[in-house]
Amino acid sequence: MDRSGSVAQLRAVVAAFARTHLGDDARWCVGLSGGADSLALTAVAARLRPTTALIVDHGLQAGSADVAERAREQAIALGCVGAHILPVEVGSVGGPEAAARTARYGALRSARDGAPVLLGHTLDDQAETVLLGLGRGSGARSLAGMRAHDPPWCRPLLGIRRDTTVAVCAELGVTPWQDPHNSDPRFTRVRLRNEVLPLLEQVLGGGVAEALARTAAALREDTEALDAAAAEIRIPAQRLPIADLHGLSAAVRRRVIRSWLLAGGACDLTDAQIRSVDALVTDWRGQGGVAVPSGLSRERLFAGRRNGALVLYRQPVA
């Protein structure tokens, strides 16, 4: 295995990631879909440490159980010490892609048994994520893309192109599963991959995916520095006095507001929503509260301004 070009390259990348981020952890899991990225990662990971493959069966396609079983067999053949199929029920909140992602991460988190989980996201995935964030106007946090190490999630392949994982599978003689969803133009990410990125590469003369990944890395550094600055500010649990926000830079102030909202039960906040709440501080004209997303089913969560402070309150769903 070590003598093969692409395999040796991938092995070196994963080993370096492990030394930097995981230290002496004795074992890890890998999220395996059966596609080229996760299959190549599984093959390399299994030669480095005791590896358990976690295979999520979303049940969204005919024959998904057969695909999962084939991935389980491949994982064992590649040297994994264990391979578990995790059937999930995919909801509808946030659309099909978001709902599948929520179900997948929940299953992986429950099954990892305290071990870190390696995920097969590549540089191409990072570039697509940045473009999605750019198109949605989601702010620097979204443009910063995926973290390489966001415990328990580990993404050692964020600097590796997708064609390298395909080459690894070819060198090892394993056949990856071709997910039909990856060519279905109904999914935004698929159109970015197959239409938008190739056009950008053509118009801008190549290197676009790498440039987008570098942009994500730079924004990630800036975002984490600003998050650290905001984290030093004490945030009251209930009322957030407007006076406490005066004198803060806009970037830090909005991060304080975001943390306060999340602590109060908000979730999946967008940059636009945070800015709307921020306007209650910077552009107060007596306006009403701002609805923010939450996990509530029978009530809606609002942020408003009352008696010189930001407050959270609930209203029943009509």
Side-chain angles (χ1 to χ4, degrees), residues 33-122:
S33 69
D37 299 339
S38 63
L39 197 59
L41 177 59
T42 299
V44 169
R47 299 298 181 94
L48 293 171
R49 298 185 180 192
T51 301
T52 299
L54 302 178
I55 303 142
V56 178
D57 178 6
H58 298 85
L60 297 176
Q61 303 178 45
S64 66
D66 295 334
V67 172
E69 175 57 27
R70 181 186 176 212
R72 190 194 67 81
E73 293 171 356
Q74 288 177 313
I76 296 301
L78 289 169
C80 287
V81 297
H84 307 300
I85 297 174
L86 313 173
V88 297
E89 291 187 10
V90 177
S92 58
V93 176
E97 292 174 273
R101 183 169 56 250
T102 298
R104 179 167 60 254
Y105 276 87
L108 293 174
R109 188 182 295 276
S110 296
R112 70 185 185 90
D113 192 27
V117 181
L118 307 185
L119 302 173
H121 296 120
T122 64

Side-chain angles (χ1 to χ4, degrees), residues 130-154:
V130 174
L131 277 179
L132 281 170
L134 183 64
R136 293 167 177 167
S138 303
R141 188 176 302 278
S142 182
L143 295 181
M146 296 175 282
R147 285 187 174 93
H149 188 221
D150 188 17
W153 316 119
C154 303

Side-chain angles (χ1 to χ4, degrees), residues 66-229:
D66 295 334
V67 172
E69 175 57 27
R70 181 186 176 212
R72 190 194 67 81
E73 293 171 356
Q74 288 177 313
I76 296 301
L78 289 169
C80 287
V81 297
H84 307 300
I85 297 174
L86 313 173
V88 297
E89 291 187 10
V90 177
S92 58
V93 176
E97 292 174 273
R101 183 169 56 250
T102 298
R104 179 167 60 254
Y105 276 87
L108 293 174
R109 188 182 295 276
S110 296
R112 70 185 185 90
D113 192 27
V117 181
L118 307 185
L119 302 173
H121 296 120
T122 64
L123 185 147
D124 299 82
D125 295 307
Q126 185 76 300
E128 293 160 11
T129 298
V130 174
L131 277 179
L132 281 170
L134 183 64
R136 293 167 177 167
S138 303
R141 188 176 302 278
S142 182
L143 295 181
M146 296 175 282
R147 285 187 174 93
H149 188 221
D150 188 17
W153 316 119
C154 303
R155 300 180 178 91
L157 307 188
L158 284 184
I160 297 294
R161 295 301 302 265
R162 190 172 286 136
D163 55 6
T164 299
T165 65
V166 173
V168 167
C169 292
E171 286 182 11
L172 295 175
V174 294
T175 303
W177 174 55
Q178 303 295 331
D179 185 351
H181 282 174
N182 288 339
S183 57
D184 189 337
R186 291 178 300 170
F187 297 107
T188 304
R189 187 178 284 270
V190 170
R191 297 197 67 185
L192 283 176
R193 179 180 306 156
N194 296 333
E195 300 175 35
V196 177
L197 269 170
L199 180 60
L200 285 174
E201 294 279 356
Q202 176 186 343
V203 172
L204 298 177
V208 171
E210 291 85 353
L212 288 169
R214 289 195 301 272
T215 298
L219 283 171
R220 172 65 60 193
E221 292 173 353
D222 292 349
T223 297
E224 291 179 350
L226 288 166
D227 285 347

